[in-house]
Amino acid sequence: MADAASHASYLPPILTFCAGAVIAVPLFRKLGQSAVLGYLAAGIAIGPSLLGVIKDPDAIRSTAEIGVVLLLFLVGLELQPSRLYSMRKDILGSGLAQMALSAIGIGLVGWWLGLSGAGAIAVGTALALSATSIALQLLDERGDVGEVYGRRTFSILLFQDMAIAPVLALLPLLATTGQATDAPMLPALASFGIALLALAAIILAGRFVLNPLFRILANSGAKDVMTAAALLIVLGAALLMEHVGLSMAMGAFLAGVMLADSHFRHELEADIEPFRGVLLGLFFMTVGMSIDLRLIAENALLLALAAPLLVLFKIVVVASILRLSCSSWIEAVRAGALLSPAGEFAFVLVPLGLANGLLDARQAAVATALAAITMLLGPIVAKLLDSVMLARIKPETMEEDFEGADGSQVMVIGFGRFGQIVTQALLLQHIDVTVIDSDVERIRSAARFGFKIYYGDGTRLDVLRAAGGGRAKVICVCVDDRQAALRIVEMAKAEFPNARLHVRAYDRIHAIELMKADVDYQQRETFESALGFGRVTLEAVGLSRDEADLIIDHVRDRDAQRMEIQYHEGLAAALDRVPRVSPEPLVAPKAKSRALTAETQQVIEDGGAEIAVGGVGEPER
């Protein structure tokens, strides 16, 4: 049995990583920078080049890379296969163009600086890849994953992950150039076939195995086992992909996509998220620790020129490609900035080029340092470009669109899908409307409606005052952030007591919170649309319009009764006093229901319902 000293030996590195993150990340966030930059700076500080608290960053790199794997799994959970298929043009078009143009441009510069042809291809390809972890983390911090430029950024990143396998096969083949043998092609083709089989295995398992497995585990009631199963699926798929020559991130992403339509998606996301956050931060710190300050000092002039030029070159390439595909310049540049840092796989491909004789030791060291510096520089450039572009737009929007806001009867805060529908009725009556939003594309959409528009943060009191909140008859809070909506309500109640407050509620709990905040009107964003959907469905099965309206009104009344009780006595108070709205047959059925599968039969019987006697899936005898 290991003694206490051996166990204690693991504690200093763990405490060092935790301390570095706790100090650096809040500091950089306070300065308005990304958490990624904080992790990178913490890694530099504790790494061998500065304080030397951690002597060997490579010893923990494999563990830290699991953070990237978990990140891709969570991204996959948000993408149903149908949605992924709809992105195919961006993935194959923009992704292929970015990869090819960036690799060619970087490779030509490397060849001009003295690299061999094969070495230039290796370095060009390695540095053309982008940092998936940094780009997705920045998008998540901005809340822009679902925006147009966010989706196109992800499409390019996805193509790059798909390209890892061919690139890994390409470098050893480059090392054999000039040898009169076709032998290397056979192992490459065999590896490609094995990779396809592995992909098919993951897809089939996701389609036929994973959902039944999680259903069995959920019925067992053991939450810890669900967490263990989630990690097993993610890490197992990642290991399988790595074993056949693909990227671990690709395997995890596919596992996520296969579970995107699962009923257990949200549970899996909640189970994985804590591991993802900790390990992804650890990965960024290992990247920071890999930066060799001595090597940077020796090649200071070269790296000082190459790093910013590489970042700017990749921004120009991506922005040009996306601009040609009808993205706006602002969208295109924002996406280019996110994709400007070199990727995590540069730390795999450059050493592989060294091992195959494509690069010498100094060339490989400089290329690795260049990749690490761009990962440090990229988030700063992305932040600066965002600030410059938004600062340039803001004065123009205020000068052009804010004029005349004094006379607006209605102020709409948030011009997303909900806010746009709200304003359609106001537009028909030619009612003066002032729109506030901090999203550039939504501001442009509002301009097409002819409204007075104001670029700004609706949670700031000075913005509401400047936009004419004190003169508005109605303030419509249409943002999709629950906490932001409550902050706006609190400020508006205190500062604009004469304005009515109409607020979009996210769900039932949020609606009750808004009622307690004494808003004049609140509406759950999906409630009335779901009732309308249900009414049309009732008509489709044979009810008259009046009968369907009567039933829908009954549902609405019972919901209002329950809401009133819950407002006064808490969420659970109404459950035993107002019956749940559950499906009931309008006429007595002529026969009992039949289960078509054994699994369905078990589910129905567990719920206490009766089913027809007879074989599963067979007609009643």
Side-chain angles (χ1 to χ4, degrees), residues 139-157:
L139 280 173
D140 185 58
E141 289 176 5
R142 297 176 182 177
D144 287 351
V145 177
E147 297 295 329
V148 174
Y149 88 95
R151 292 196 300 270
R152 289 181 173 169
T153 299
F154 177 72
S155 297
I156 294 175
L157 290 170

Side-chain angles (χ1 to χ4, degrees), residues 182-258:
D182 294 329
M185 290 300 295
L186 295 177
L189 291 175
S191 298
F192 183 72
I194 292 173
L196 289 180
L197 289 176
L199 286 171
I202 288 180
I203 293 172
L204 291 174
R207 179 69 179 84
F208 299 107
V209 177
L210 297 186
N211 270 316
L213 171 64
F214 282 114
R215 190 175 296 113
I216 293 170
L217 296 177
N219 290 334
S220 72
K223 180 171 175 58
D224 292 343
V225 174
M226 287 286 288
T227 303
L231 289 172
L232 174 65
I233 297 300
V234 178
L235 300 180
L239 185 63
L240 177 61
M241 289 294 99
E242 184 185 41
H243 186 69
V244 299
L246 295 173
S247 74
M248 289 198 297
M250 174 59 67
F253 174 76
L254 283 176
V257 170
M258 291 301 102

Side-chain angles (χ1 to χ4, degrees), residues 509-528:
I509 296 174
H510 189 212
I512 293 173
E513 290 175 339
L514 292 170
M515 291 168 64
K516 291 180 178 179
D518 199 25
V519 302
D520 296 284
Y521 178 75
Q522 56 76 28
Q523 180 62 267
R524 280 168 282 166
E525 58 189 24
T526 58
F527 183 66
E528 285 296 332

